[in-house]
Amino acid sequence: MTDALVAREDRDGVTTLTLNRPDKLNALHEGVFADLRAHLEDLAKSVPRCLVLTGAGRSFCAGHDLTALASGDAEGSRHFEAETVDLLESFPCPTIAKIRGHCLTGGLELALGCDLLVATESASLGDTHGKWGLVPVWGMSVRLPERVGMSRAKELSWTSRRIDGPTALRYGLVDHCVPDDGLDAAVEALAAEIVANSPGTNAIYKKLYADTATSGRRAALAAERELPHGLPDDIAERLGRSGG
């Protein structure tokens, strides 16, 4: 692992971005967000087939660094951090949050910016804004109920309850829960399945699903039907055919 606040590894069509403050349980501050934003903007120039977000050491992310928060942590625009999570959410390839250990509050908000969440059985996930007298600004009040439903989101936020991997899976907060020693293999296998498919198709599906979530059923059906007919470019080139 490098000294970078967010480390990057590219292998077999998969880019892994690793939050790299293991001594602080990968707590977030403006430097981490600046590095993450820089990586996402650079990757947008040559999009990988799959993007994995994880944390170094024993935790995914314990949340916002409260020391930095108390000192007036700010970067770029007023909503730099929230906009970075938005950028992750809209990134034009499938994204996976690879979660072990703590995934709390701001860390959970960051994970919820990913398409798929994979957690270990012993992971600890929760929204603890209320414990610290804070309110969410990175999307928790929208993305958490999208995941688990409104009443469950209210309960989690109002109690600051931490839940383990199996409970998170039962609630629908994560998509897969795996044994602690099986996380690397599980995420590698999931990413490999994604990489094996057309990146063009996956990118189009990601946009269509995003549109469905925001535009309503009738408009989403119309948007799908307005797509160009034929094969995405990457498949067309492989088969020596042109779409259309």
Side-chain angles (χ1 to χ4, degrees), residues 220-238:
L221 285 169
E224 181 183 281
R225 292 164 188 167
E226 290 172 2
L227 288 172
H229 292 288
L231 300 169
D233 289 345
D234 56 292
I235 290 290
E237 291 172 4
R238 189 186 311 168

Side-chain angles (χ1 to χ4, degrees), residues 19 25-28 59-63 100 102-104 106-108 110:
L19 307 177
L25 302 179
N26 301 312
L28 302 165
S59 287
F60 176 79
C61 177
R100 60 166 53 88
H102 305 84
C103 182
L104 302 173
L108 180 56
L110 186 59

Side-chain angles (χ1 to χ4, degrees), residues 42 106 109 150 189 207:
D42 185 58
E109 286 180 297
M150 185 60 75
K207 185 179 186 309

Side-chain angles (χ1 to χ4, degrees), residues 122-167:
S122 68
S124 178
L125 302 95
D127 174 15
T128 62
H129 280 99
K131 180 179 180 180
W132 305 104
L134 302 172
V135 293
V137 291
W138 300 346
M140 184 75 81
S141 65
V142 175
R143 296 186 179 102
L144 183 59
E146 285 176 344
R147 273 270 170 180
V148 303
M150 185 60 75
S151 60
R152 184 72 76 184
K154 289 176 179 178
E155 179 181 4
L156 290 172
S157 298
W158 288 342
T159 63
S160 293
R161 184 180 302 148
R162 300 184 186 191
I163 58 175
D164 59 16
T167 304

Side-chain angles (χ1 to χ4, degrees), residues 36-217:
L36 179 59
R37 172 78 72 94
H39 279 304
L40 292 174
E41 290 176 344
D42 185 58
L43 286 166
K45 301 171 186 175
S46 181
V47 179
R49 290 182 174 231
C50 182
L51 177 65
V52 174
L53 180 65
T54 191
R58 61 190 180 93
S59 287
F60 176 79
C61 177
H64 201 151
D65 188 324
L66 296 182
T67 302
L69 183 64
S71 66
D73 180 25
E75 173 74 33
S77 73
R78 177 186 174 196
H79 299 298
F80 182 86
E81 294 94 340
E83 291 163 357
T84 302
V85 179
D86 291 346
L87 186 61
L88 174 64
E89 181 179 52
S90 63
F91 195 75
C93 78
T95 56
I96 303 171
K98 179 181 175 182
I99 300 167
R100 60 166 53 88
H102 305 84
C103 182
L104 302 173
T105 318
L108 180 56
E109 286 180 297
L110 186 59
L112 289 171
C114 293
D115 298 309
L116 302 173
L117 279 63
V118 182
T120 61
E121 293 174 345
S122 68
S124 178
L125 302 95
D127 174 15
T128 62
H129 280 99
K131 180 179 180 180
W132 305 104
L134 302 172
V135 293
V137 291
W138 300 346
M140 184 75 81
S141 65
V142 175
R143 296 186 179 102
L144 183 59
E146 285 176 344
R147 273 270 170 180
V148 303
M150 185 60 75
S151 60
R152 184 72 76 184
K154 289 176 179 178
E155 179 181 4
L156 290 172
S157 298
W158 288 342
T159 63
S160 293
R161 184 180 302 148
R162 300 184 186 191
I163 58 175
D164 59 16
T167 304
L169 179 64
R170 180 161 54 87
Y171 286 1
L173 182 56
V174 303
D175 301 286
H176 300 278
C177 176
V178 300
D180 288 15
D181 61 359
L183 182 62
D184 290 342
V187 172
E188 286 179 11
L190 179 59
E193 287 187 272
I194 291 170
V195 167
N197 285 335
S198 159
T201 296
N202 285 345
I204 290 171
Y205 257 121
K206 182 156 184 176
K207 185 179 186 309
L208 288 171
Y209 285 138
D211 290 345
T212 297
T214 58
S215 63
R217 190 172 189 274

